[in-house]
Amino acid sequence: EESLQMWDLNKRLEAYLARVKFLEEENEVLRAEIQSTKSSPAGDSWRVKYEEELRALRDALDHAFREKCTAELARDNLYEEVQQVKSRCQKEQAAREEAKKQLSLSRKELEEERRAQIWLKERAVQLEKEVETLLEVHEEEKAGLDQEITSFSRSLESFRCAPMAFQPVEVEDYCKRLSEIWKGAVETYKTEVSQLEGSLCQAKENLRKAVEDNQQSQLQLQHLEKDLAGLKARKEMLEESLAQQWQEQRGEAEKFQLAMEALEQEQQSLRMQIARVLEDRQQLMHLKMSLSLEVATYRTLLEAESTRLQMPAG
């Protein structure tokens, strides 16, 4: 039984030794292949090419990031410029509204001046009519007084016996009073006419100023409309350029995203390959260690068996 066990153990040892030898030879072959792959120019060129591609992609990514930052800065500048244009448009709109208000006020003042001028003209006509009426009444009264004086003088001539009874003081007083009333009416008319002429000149001056202000307001309004049209065109151009830059940046970002995804997939595949190679090497190492342990165990058993056989029978 011991001989059969030893024979079985020897067969198993031979099989394990053959397996160990085969695995060692395979390990040497794999090591040589790995070494040759590492030292071969094709492997180095592939690795160098891969590293160069990876470096180029990293440089492209950095360049894209810098371009993205530049585009963001340009976008922020364009946004600030658009905000400034909007604020200028709002200010010009407010100035335009203010100019419209001033124009409406000037028009109202002009209408009021025109109405005042019309009223002054009507008042002057009325005063002229009143003066003419007063002149006619004065002429009538003067004619009546002349008739009364002539009739009175005729009646005086008829009364020769009593010449001392006539006293022309009352008639002279009446004439003096009429002349004073006439002078006062004339002075009043002159004063009113001068006042009306002064107010008419003032109304004409105000009308001229209102017309000049209206013309200036219209010119300012035209300038503001031109500036507003230019600002609107510039705003549209800036918005178009901003939209175009956004589209270009989005396209470049999509391209770089695809390139990054491809690199990540390639990196993942390389990691999986490296993990498989490491796992194979780990399995080989475990197998080699288990075979070494079995060889050491069998060697110990053989040494113990040989020692036991070499011992004396007693």
Side-chain angles (χ1 to χ4, degrees):
E1 290 177 359
E2 289 178 358
S3 297
L4 290 173
Q5 289 178 359
M6 286 298 296
W7 183 75
D8 190 13
L9 288 172
N10 287 327
K11 290 293 183 182
R12 289 177 64 187
L13 181 59
E14 287 177 1
Y16 279 117
L17 290 174
R19 180 66 178 169
V20 168
K21 188 175 181 181
F22 175 73
L23 290 173
E24 287 179 352
E25 289 176 357
E26 191 176 3
N27 194 7
E28 291 294 330
V29 171
L30 289 172
R31 188 180 289 111
E33 288 179 357
I34 291 170
Q35 193 68 28
S36 63
T37 304
K38 288 182 179 180
S39 61
S40 64
D44 292 337
S45 64
W46 178 81
R47 187 172 182 179
V48 169
K49 185 177 179 181
Y50 173 73
E51 289 179 354
E52 287 179 355
E53 289 180 356
L54 188 61
R55 192 180 299 111
L57 288 172
R58 286 177 180 173
D59 293 335
L61 185 63
D62 293 334
H63 182 67
F65 183 73
R66 287 194 295 271
E67 287 184 351
K68 183 180 178 183
C69 293
T70 306
E72 287 179 354
L73 290 173
R75 181 192 64 189
D76 295 334
N77 292 327
L78 287 174
Y79 181 75
E80 290 178 357
E81 192 170 356
V82 168
Q83 292 295 326
Q84 290 178 1
V85 169
K86 285 182 179 179
S87 64
R88 286 183 63 187
C89 287
Q90 290 176 359
K91 289 180 180 178
E92 290 183 358
Q93 188 70 24
R96 186 177 178 182
E97 294 294 332
E98 186 67 24
K100 286 182 178 179
K101 290 180 181 179
Q102 290 181 0
L103 182 61
S104 63
L105 292 174
S106 299
R107 286 177 180 175
K108 290 180 180 179
E109 290 178 357
L110 182 62
E111 292 294 330
E112 291 178 356
E113 291 294 333
R114 286 177 181 175
R115 291 173 184 174
Q117 188 178 3
I118 292 168
W119 181 81
L120 288 173
K121 287 181 179 179
E122 292 177 354
R123 182 64 177 167
V125 171
Q126 289 177 1
L127 289 174
E128 287 177 357
K129 289 180 179 179
E130 289 178 358
V131 169
E132 289 176 356
T133 306
L134 289 173
L135 288 173
E136 291 177 355
V137 171
H138 180 68
E139 291 294 333
E140 290 177 356
E141 289 179 353
K142 186 177 180 182
L145 287 173
D146 290 334
Q147 290 177 0
E148 288 179 358
I149 289 169
T150 54
S151 63
F152 188 72
S153 61
R154 288 174 183 176
S155 63
L156 285 176
E157 288 177 357
S158 62
F159 294 103
R160 293 178 180 179
C161 60
M164 297 302 292
F166 175 71
Q167 293 180 1
V169 180
E170 295 179 357
V171 176
E172 290 178 357
D173 292 336
Y174 186 69
C175 291
K176 288 180 181 179
R177 240 182 293 169
L178 286 175
S179 63
E180 288 176 359
I181 291 169
W182 167 250
K183 288 180 181 179
V186 170
E187 292 295 330
T188 304
Y189 171 73
K190 288 180 179 180
T191 305
E192 289 181 356
V193 168
S194 63
Q195 289 178 358
L196 288 173
E197 287 178 354
S199 61
L200 184 61
C201 293
Q202 186 68 28
K204 288 181 180 179
E205 184 68 22
N206 293 329
L207 181 62
R208 186 181 62 78
K209 289 182 180 179
V211 171
E212 290 179 355
D213 293 336
N214 190 6
Q215 292 177 356
Q216 291 179 0
S217 300
Q218 288 180 356
L219 291 173
Q220 189 177 3
L221 185 62
Q222 291 177 0
H223 288 301
L224 289 173
E225 287 178 352
K226 290 181 181 179
D227 294 336
L228 183 62
L231 290 172
K232 284 182 179 179
R234 188 176 180 184
K235 180 182 177 183
E236 291 176 356
M237 184 178 66
L238 289 173
E239 288 178 352
E240 289 177 358
S241 62
L242 184 61
Q244 187 177 2
Q245 288 183 1
W246 268 107
Q247 291 178 359
E248 292 177 356
Q249 186 179 0
R250 188 177 296 172
E252 291 178 357
E254 289 178 355
K255 290 180 182 179
F256 286 118
Q257 187 68 28
L258 293 174
M260 287 294 295
E261 290 178 356
L263 286 173
E264 287 179 356
Q265 291 178 0
E266 188 176 359
Q267 187 179 5
Q268 191 68 25
S269 63
L270 289 173
R271 285 180 180 176
M272 291 174 66
Q273 291 179 5
I274 292 169
R276 283 198 296 271
V277 171
L278 291 174
E279 187 176 359
D280 293 336
R281 289 187 66 183
Q282 192 71 23
Q283 289 179 359
L284 288 174
M285 290 296 293
H286 284 297
L287 184 59
K288 184 177 180 180
M289 288 176 65
S290 63
L291 290 174
S292 299
L293 289 173
E294 289 182 358
V295 168
T297 304
Y298 283 115
R299 188 175 293 167
T300 304
L301 291 172
L302 288 174
E303 288 178 357
E305 187 65 22
S306 63
T307 304
R308 188 178 63 80
L309 293 174
Q310 289 177 5
M311 288 177 64

